[in-house]
Amino acid sequence: MQATVLERMDLAARRFVPFGVTLVLMLFAMTPTHIPGLSHVTPMYALMAVYFWSIYRPDLLGYGATFGIGVLEDLLSGTPLGSGALVLLVCQRVVFNQQKFFNNKPFGIFWLAFALVAAGAGLIRWICVGLAAPSGFTPVGQMLTSTLITVAIYPLVGWLLAKAHVKLLAES
Amino acid sequence: MRQTTRQISRFGTLKSLLQRFAFLSLIGLTFALILIGKADTVLVERARDAVTDAVTPVLRVMSEPAAVVSNFIENLRELAAIREQNATLREANTRLLQWQSAAQRLESENISLRGLTGLVPEPGASFVTARVVADTGGAFAQSILITAGQSSGVRKGQVVLAGEGLVGRVMQAGLYSARVLLITDINSRIPVQVGEAGNRAILAGDNSLRPRLMFLDNKTAAAPGDKVVTSGDAEAFPPGLPIGQVARVDEGVVELEPFVVRDKIQYVRVVDYGLTGILAEQAGTK
């Protein structure tokens, strides 16, 4: 049976979810939360989304989309152009390469793996920004705090992403 | 059956090859972008302007809920402290009335003295008020995006203030939005004077909450609690803008606590003092 135009549009919209959600999370990281002390150590929300979708829907968030989100983040946040994109791409590559490892693993393992990915991502970004900035490296402590917060809140963000995955992408 | 399996596996290999090719070319592209960004071409700046202009309305909508919640909490806090605050304000009012009469007397004295010496008055400053819609960079850069750009007279290099003091300087001005480099950013360098003695120093950000004083003439002269204001050297900032106070002096490291609390800024003033300073020199050498 041929799908109607509406059905096809619905499917296309659903397939856009991983990219859309990652984009929104990237922008969310920039909105002022007015929580004291948090603006200096904002969690890497885009990284969480890229990690999640690379495991569950690698078919719907490819390298091109990730690259686009990374470049957009760099342009908006004033960080050296290319540094954000590099981090997200490397993270995605690592997850794609370990696709078999992630099969049917409990959440604890996903979280632990994410901690490793986030640590690597924080380090790469720190080196990139330090090398590109004329004034040198940012204090390591801040990068570590940001990474720790990212890892700490991953269960919450991951849970929300899983909800979106089940609700919107179950049939597609 | 076997043929189909072979076809699928061939397709899989092709897909993985394509994926690897895409990955490697995109990684190459990011390195190219890093190099282009490092060269700091006009092109990158234009791209940043265009993207910021396009996304600012979205960020504006997204920042609304957090602002509402924050205002609500602030209101509750104010309500709790209203009696105490009222007493303090009454006291401050009496004191300010005395200052007002003193100021009026000094103003008239000033006018008559200026008339006597024939002093040419300094050009007045004009300002634009804008909303803060994004707090960008996290641990790696310290800047904010505001909802005013070239169309409202905002230009690169202008001074940005909040109620309590200096916030930073306009680093990039799009048509309807602008990026402000905060005083805490690792690339921020501001000529300042410290305490009543007015010792000169450079205030350097390092992406942490507390920027540091560098090249301080006399390190022993700085003590916790000393006020730090702009010195007006290099003509990037007018002299006397309040920035913060010395928070800690430890083995030659002098840390400053800014008056402006970054998490609380919702609106800023972009002030045009008609200064060109370092930016004009940079433009001249390019």
Side-chain angles (χ1 to χ4, degrees):
Chain A
M1 200 174 73
Q2 278 273 311
T4 64
V5 179
L6 258 181
E7 275 169 349
R8 258 183 281 166
M9 272 172 67
D10 179 61
L11 186 71
R14 279 166 197 267
R15 294 177 75 82
F16 180 74
V17 166
F19 178 75
V21 168
T22 311
L23 190 67
V24 168
L25 276 177
M26 186 271 283
L27 292 176
F28 177 70
M30 290 178 191
T31 52
T33 51
H34 303 292
I35 299 172
L38 194 69
S39 49
H40 285 68
V41 286
T42 320
M44 300 177 263
Y45 289 106
L47 184 80
M48 300 184 209
V50 167
Y51 176 78
F52 181 91
W53 296 118
S54 302
I55 293 173
Y56 292 101
R57 293 313 295 256
D59 54 327
L60 297 186
L61 189 77
Y63 288 128
T66 306
F67 173 78
I69 289 170
V71 170
L72 195 63
E73 185 185 6
D74 285 333
L75 286 174
L76 277 173
S77 65
T79 42
L81 193 59
S83 65
L86 181 71
V87 165
L88 294 182
L89 280 174
V90 170
C91 158
Q92 194 168 32
R93 179 76 190 164
V94 169
V95 178
F96 280 175
N97 271 350
Q98 301 300 322
Q99 207 60 262
K100 274 186 195 149
F101 166 81
F102 285 115
N103 259 345
N104 293 322
K105 286 285 186 325
F107 178 74
I109 300 290
F110 282 121
W111 195 12
L112 194 70
F114 178 72
L116 292 175
V117 168
L123 188 69
I124 297 176
R125 192 90 195 263
W126 183 73
I127 293 172
C128 274
V129 173
L131 288 178
S135 322
F137 288 88
T138 299
V140 187
Q142 230 163 295
M143 180 268 285
L144 287 176
T145 319
S146 165
T147 309
L148 279 178
I149 297 179
T150 307
V151 175
I153 64 165
Y154 179 74
L156 176 70
V157 178
W159 179 74
L160 290 171
L161 290 170
K163 284 263 166 210
H165 184 212
V166 172
K167 272 239 177 317
L168 300 165
L169 288 166
E171 309 108 52
S172 60
Chain B
M1 181 70 185
R2 191 176 290 166
Q3 204 179 350
T4 328
T5 327
R6 203 176 296 157
Q7 266 177 355
I8 289 174
S9 93
R10 228 181 261 165
F11 180 68
T13 322
L14 187 71
K15 203 179 156 194
S16 108
L17 266 177
L18 269 177
Q19 251 190 3
R20 187 173 295 177
F21 175 71
F23 173 73
L24 288 176
S25 28
L26 286 173
I27 287 287
L29 203 56
T30 53
F31 280 112
L33 283 178
I34 291 174
L35 288 179
I36 294 171
K38 188 93 177 134
D40 203 14
T41 54
V42 182
L43 189 75
V44 176
E45 211 162 290
R46 281 210 188 128
R48 284 194 198 268
D49 283 348
V51 169
T52 327
D53 273 350
V55 182
T56 300
V58 182
L59 286 167
R60 192 180 185 146
V61 174
M62 285 179 74
S63 68
E64 207 69 57
V68 169
V69 173
S70 156
N71 284 343
F72 180 70
I73 293 170
E74 194 63 26
N75 279 347
L76 281 184
R77 204 177 290 158
E78 276 174 11
L79 215 61
I82 208 159
R83 277 188 77 90
E84 201 182 317
Q85 211 171 30
N86 209 3
T88 329
L89 284 175
R90 266 178 218 277
E91 202 182 304
N93 202 21
T94 344
R95 215 172 40 239
L96 285 175
L97 279 173
Q98 288 168 2
W99 277 112
Q100 192 189 27
S101 66
Q104 276 166 348
R105 192 168 44 81
L106 286 173
E107 195 186 1
S108 63
E109 193 181 302
N110 231 339
I111 291 170
S112 64
L113 285 176
R114 272 186 193 166
L116 283 177
T117 53
L119 182 81
V120 182
E122 284 178 30
S126 59
F127 68 88
V128 183
T129 305
R131 229 189 98 182
V132 177
V133 288
D135 198 331
T136 61
F140 301 106
Q142 307 282 310
S143 60
I144 51 175
L145 295 182
I146 59 171
T147 54
Q150 289 181 19
S151 61
S152 359
V154 173
R155 298 282 178 277
K156 192 173 170 177
Q158 284 174 351
V159 177
V160 182
L161 304 169
E164 301 82 358
L166 184 68
V167 172
R169 212 156 51 139
V170 176
M171 177 196 189
Q172 164 209 329
L175 210 51
Y176 306 105
S177 65
R179 176 189 308 288
V180 178
L181 187 77
L182 300 177
I183 54 172
T184 48
D185 188 276
I186 196 158
N187 294 318
S188 163
R189 297 285 182 274
I190 302 166
V192 294
Q193 51 189 40
V194 187
E196 279 173 16
N199 285 313
R200 299 295 160 107
I202 296 285
L203 182 72
D206 64 353
N207 281 352
S208 72
L209 280 165
R210 289 175 169 177
R212 291 171 176 197
L213 290 175
M214 281 162 61
F215 312 119
L216 187 60
D217 290 343
N218 181 3
K219 282 209 165 118
T220 49
D226 280 354
K227 299 268 185 299
V228 174
V229 296
T230 51
S231 69
D233 293 334
E235 290 198 3
F237 294 90
L241 294 177
I243 304 177
Q245 57 186 9
V246 174
R248 204 165 66 100
V249 183
D250 189 18
E251 289 174 13
V253 178
V254 185
E255 284 184 351
L256 177 109
E257 180 81 50
F259 288 134
V260 176
V261 181
R262 181 178 169 187
D263 312 294
K264 284 194 176 163
I265 326 174
Q266 286 194 21
Y267 290 91
V268 291
R269 258 177 309 151
V270 185
V271 192
D272 182 9
Y273 288 103
L275 297 168
T276 42
I278 295 167
L279 288 172
E281 280 167 31
Q282 278 177 348
T285 52
K286 263 188 184 176

